[in-house]
Amino acid sequence: MTSALGPSFLDPERLISTFGLIGILAIVFAESGLLIGFFLPGDSLLFTAGLLVADGTYLHQPLWLMCLLVSVAAVAGDQFGYFFGRRFGPALFRRPDSRLFKQENLTKAREFFAKYGARSIVLARFVPIVRTFTPIVAGASHMHYRTFLIYNLIGGTLWGSGVTVLGYFLGQIAFVKSNIEFILIGIVVLSVIPIGVELLRSRRFSRD
């Protein structure tokens, strides 16, 4: 269904039909704070999950429970990322590039964190790749834990519940159902716009 979004094994509906709720929670946790989770389809996965809950396809949990579990997984993922960064931060910034790790991703998150401070924990939730590395940078920077926890709870709930609820209600619209591939592509495009804007701004400032 969503081959235009990338490899078929990352197709949100295929992932959900294969792994169900456990798969959704594992992917949300991984994308929220594991170094290897940056390539996972977080936004489109949650939107599709909401749509399938509305349809009763593959997922038969009530919407409130889905939102609660996804939010918990998102918050837990960031918590792990924070403590990982706090423990291994210095070594991580010296780590050479590999197939699954690029220093540029960590650098983007570091710049994002430096620019927005504590708010970055919430804002990064809506920016692919950056949301994976920001909690790690926060831990490496020894951000006050209580502050991190508060913003993490807010960001994890807004993103986890918000995108899922959006998919649930929009998924009941006939036009969305019949054009789901284009809708998911649109979500991906919208989610990377902030990165594009920041890149353009940084290039403009570097020229000046």
Side-chain angles (χ1 to χ4, degrees), residues 1 51 55 170-183:
M1 179 188 69
L51 186 153
D55 267 357
L170 291 183
Q172 299 182 51
I173 300 174
F175 174 81
V176 174
K177 284 185 178 180
S178 58
N179 295 277
I180 185 60
E181 179 173 353
F182 299 105
I183 297 296

Side-chain angles (χ1 to χ4, degrees), residues 3 22 29 31 47 50 58 69 75 87-88 96 98 111 125 135 138 145 150 159 167-168 170 173 191 194 204:
S3 58
I22 298 300
F29 179 89
E31 201 203 13
F47 186 90
Y58 306 129
L69 294 176
V75 170
R87 175 66 178 84
F88 300 104
S98 64
E111 293 172 350
R125 285 289 184 184
Y145 177 68
I150 292 172
W159 179 68
Y168 180 87
L170 291 183
I173 300 174
S191 63
R204 182 184 303 172

Side-chain angles (χ1 to χ4, degrees), residues 2 8 49 59 86 96 114:
T2 53
S8 60
L59 300 171
R86 196 168 181 115

Side-chain angles (χ1 to χ4, degrees), residues 7-189:
S8 60
F9 67 88
L10 291 181
D11 171 11
E13 185 170 344
R14 180 176 181 179
L15 287 170
I16 293 171
S17 65
T18 303
F19 301 106
L21 176 60
I22 298 300
I24 295 173
L25 300 181
I27 289 173
V28 168
F29 179 89
E31 201 203 13
S32 295
L34 299 184
L35 290 175
I36 61 172
F38 67 91
F39 67 91
L40 296 170
D43 298 310
S44 57
L45 181 75
L46 293 186
F47 186 90
T48 303
L51 186 153
L52 294 177
V53 168
D55 267 357
T57 305
Y58 306 129
L59 300 171
H60 305 289
Q61 294 78 14
L63 178 63
W64 69 267
L65 181 58
M66 178 65 66
C67 290
L68 174 62
L69 294 176
V70 166
S71 297
V72 169
V75 170
D78 260 27
Q79 290 293 115
F80 181 89
Y82 175 86
F83 287 115
F84 182 87
R86 196 168 181 115
R87 175 66 178 84
F88 300 104
L92 197 59
F93 285 105
R94 296 191 300 268
R95 180 177 177 177
D97 286 349
S98 64
R99 194 170 188 178
L100 291 177
F101 177 81
K102 301 293 181 184
Q103 276 290 342
E104 63 177 308
N105 292 331
L106 197 58
T107 300
K108 288 178 184 178
R110 197 173 194 176
E111 293 172 350
F112 194 87
F113 180 78
K115 180 174 183 178
Y116 296 106
R119 291 178 301 159
S120 66
I121 306 303
V122 176
L123 298 175
R125 285 289 184 184
F126 301 90
V127 184
I129 300 178
V130 173
R131 71 167 151 258
T132 301
F133 292 93
T134 296
I136 296 173
V137 172
S141 303
H142 290 270
M143 179 180 184
H144 192 279
Y145 177 68
R146 184 176 179 181
T147 302
F148 173 82
L149 179 60
I150 292 172
Y151 280 92
N152 183 24
L153 288 169
I154 295 172
T157 302
L158 286 177
W159 179 68
S161 298
V163 179
T164 304
V165 168
L166 186 66
Y168 180 87
F169 286 105
L170 291 183
Q172 299 182 51
I173 300 174
F175 174 81
V176 174
K177 284 185 178 180
S178 58
N179 295 277
I180 185 60
E181 179 173 353
F182 299 105
I183 297 296
L184 293 180
I185 292 174
I187 290 173
V188 173
V189 171

